[in-house]
Amino acid sequence: MYQFLLTVMLILSVLIIIAVIMQPSKQNSAASAFSGGASELFGKAKARGFEAFMKRATTVLGVAWVAVAIGLAFLSSK
């Protein structure tokens, strides 16, 4: 069981990295990173299409990764 969860953890880790890399960029340039983004925080419309799918997929993968990590910690403590 431990080896199976370890394999699932490795696969989830790679999938999370791919999902984060594939997310569309929200900033136009490096200078906008220094100017803040509070004006865009409350004024942005709800994400649709590919952006919404990637956000949801990243969240689901992250929750699954944490669950597997807790399972691995539980199994390794026994």
Side-chain angles (χ1 to χ4, degrees):
M1 183 68 169
Y2 184 81
Q3 292 297 326
F4 173 73
L5 285 179
L6 200 58
T7 304
V8 170
M9 176 68 93
L10 180 66
I11 292 169
L12 284 173
S13 298
V14 171
L15 289 175
I16 288 174
I17 291 169
I18 292 170
V20 168
I21 290 173
M22 287 182 61
Q23 286 186 0
S25 175
K26 292 186 168 117
Q27 297 184 4
N28 297 333
S29 66
S32 62
F34 297 112
S35 65
S39 63
E40 295 178 9
L41 179 63
F42 299 108
K44 182 162 168 95
K46 193 173 187 182
R48 300 192 186 274
F50 181 71
E51 184 178 344
F53 172 76
M54 290 309 298
K55 186 183 285 188
R56 193 172 298 124
T58 305
T59 303
V60 169
L61 288 171
V63 169
W65 189 89
V66 169
V68 172
I70 291 170
L72 282 171
F74 180 74
L75 287 176
S76 68
S77 69
K78 287 189 171 193

